[in-house]
């Protein structure tokens, strides 16, 4: 659904941020994740073979999580299950323009483990992402969710999945979400001025409203 959500966000004038999942069966090695994120297999659409989509308003996360459902049964959930809550917690204790990562604002508290489903056994395999694997994920613009002693499970990345050739400050999630926040708020501020006379009085009013908001 990543490409569909990016298209929807474009239709919404990029007023949303897309949280992208990695496949449940993606093994926790540098090679496996890098090959998928860089679409080494030449896939033509997003899926288990590779990631095709790229956007300054897309963040991709790895790996999946283990938690329990309402009946107490153990279930496996995609990264978005963890990260959407982490983003909400980040905004609750900070702001959208703060990085939702690290031990202060990146804590994952709705999962008990992280890993992937083995393609051979079908069983959940826990994974602890080493520094070298995290570095490989960083190069591939995939954000690692991993366990840190004394902190628990933590989102340890703040990168958007910008195109490989793109150089932009929007390659950071907090900057991307700041842009989303500004667009949304400025749209709300401007709406009352639609159909008002295009004169100095109106221009001064909207200028004052925008400056007050930015301050």
């Amino acid at each position: 659904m990543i490409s569909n959500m990016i298209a929807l966000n474009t239709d919404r004038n990029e007023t949303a941020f897309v949280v992208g999942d990695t496949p449940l069966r993606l093994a926790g090695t540098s090679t496996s994740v890098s090959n998928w994120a860089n679409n080494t297999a030449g896939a033509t659409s997003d899926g288990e073979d590779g990631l095709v989509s790229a956007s300054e308003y897309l963040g991709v996360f790895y790996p999946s999580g283990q938690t329990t459902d309402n009946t107490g049964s153990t279930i496996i959930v995609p990264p978005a299950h963890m990260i959407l809550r982490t983003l909400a917690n980040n905004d609750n204790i900070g702001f959208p323009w703060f990085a939702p990562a690290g031990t202060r604002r990146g804590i994952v508290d709705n999962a008990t483990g992280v890993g992937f489903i083995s393609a051979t056994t079908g069983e959940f395999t826990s994974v602890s992402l080493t520094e070298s694997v995290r570095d490989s994920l960083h190069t591939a613009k995939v954000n690692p969710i991993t366990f840190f002693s004394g902190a628990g499970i933590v989102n340890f990345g703040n990168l958007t999945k910008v195109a490989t050739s793109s150089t932009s400050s929007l390659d950071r999630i907090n900057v991307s979400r700041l842009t989303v926040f500004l667009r949304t708020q400025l749209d709300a501020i401007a709406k009352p001025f639609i159909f008002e006379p295009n004169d100095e009085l109106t221009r001064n009013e909207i200028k004052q409203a925008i400056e007050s908001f930015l301050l």
Side-chain angles (χ1 to χ4, degrees):
M1 297 297 293
I2 290 177
S3 61
N4 302 76
M5 289 190 289
I6 291 174
L8 175 60
N9 192 30
T10 301
D11 292 340
R12 286 169 47 102
N13 296 320
E14 294 175 333
T15 53
F17 184 79
V18 179
V19 176
D21 289 322
T22 43
L24 292 173
R25 287 188 285 261
L26 184 60
T29 65
S30 298
T31 301
S32 297
V33 180
S34 296
N35 286 346
W36 178 83
N38 296 320
N39 193 22
T40 303
T44 57
S45 60
D46 300 320
E48 284 197 311
D49 294 331
L51 178 65
V52 177
S53 298
S55 171
E56 296 92 342
Y57 300 96
L58 164 67
V60 180
F61 299 84
Y62 178 85
S64 302
Q66 185 179 51
T67 186
T68 54
D69 62 15
N70 292 335
T71 66
S73 300
T74 299
I75 58 172
I76 309 305
V77 293
H81 172 87
M82 299 176 283
I83 296 303
L84 287 173
R85 180 175 172 86
T86 301
L87 289 172
N89 287 336
N90 171 80
D91 296 358
N92 186 45
I93 63 176
F95 298 95
W97 52 90
F98 284 14
T103 56
R104 287 189 176 182
R105 295 179 304 277
I107 296 295
V108 172
D109 59 6
N110 61 343
T112 56
V114 289
F116 62 95
I117 296 177
S118 172
T120 54
T121 66
E123 297 293 328
F124 181 76
T125 303
S126 296
V127 62
S128 179
L129 303 178
T130 63
E131 185 174 354
S132 61
V133 174
R134 295 199 304 269
D135 288 344
S136 297
L137 264 64
H138 182 88
T139 301
K141 299 184 179 70
V142 174
N143 300 295
I145 306 170
T146 190
F147 179 84
F148 282 98
S149 179
I153 301 173
V154 175
N155 170 43
F156 209 65
N158 186 43
L159 293 177
T160 62
K161 190 65 170 113
V162 295
T164 305
S165 58
S166 175
T167 302
S168 168
S169 57
L170 292 174
D171 64 355
R172 295 295 189 271
I173 290 174
N174 61 310
V175 179
S176 178
R177 296 189 69 225
L178 168 62
T179 306
V180 166
F181 177 78
L182 289 174
R183 280 202 185 98
T184 304
Q185 297 300 317
L186 291 174
D187 180 69
I189 289 172
K191 277 182 178 176
F193 295 95
I194 297 175
F195 301 117
E196 291 301 301
N198 185 11
D199 55 20
E200 186 175 1
L201 178 61
T202 300
R203 290 192 292 272
N204 285 339
E205 281 189 56
I206 192 169
K207 178 175 180 288
Q208 182 178 3
I210 290 173
E211 286 182 345
S212 177
F213 159 67
L214 292 176
L215 286 172

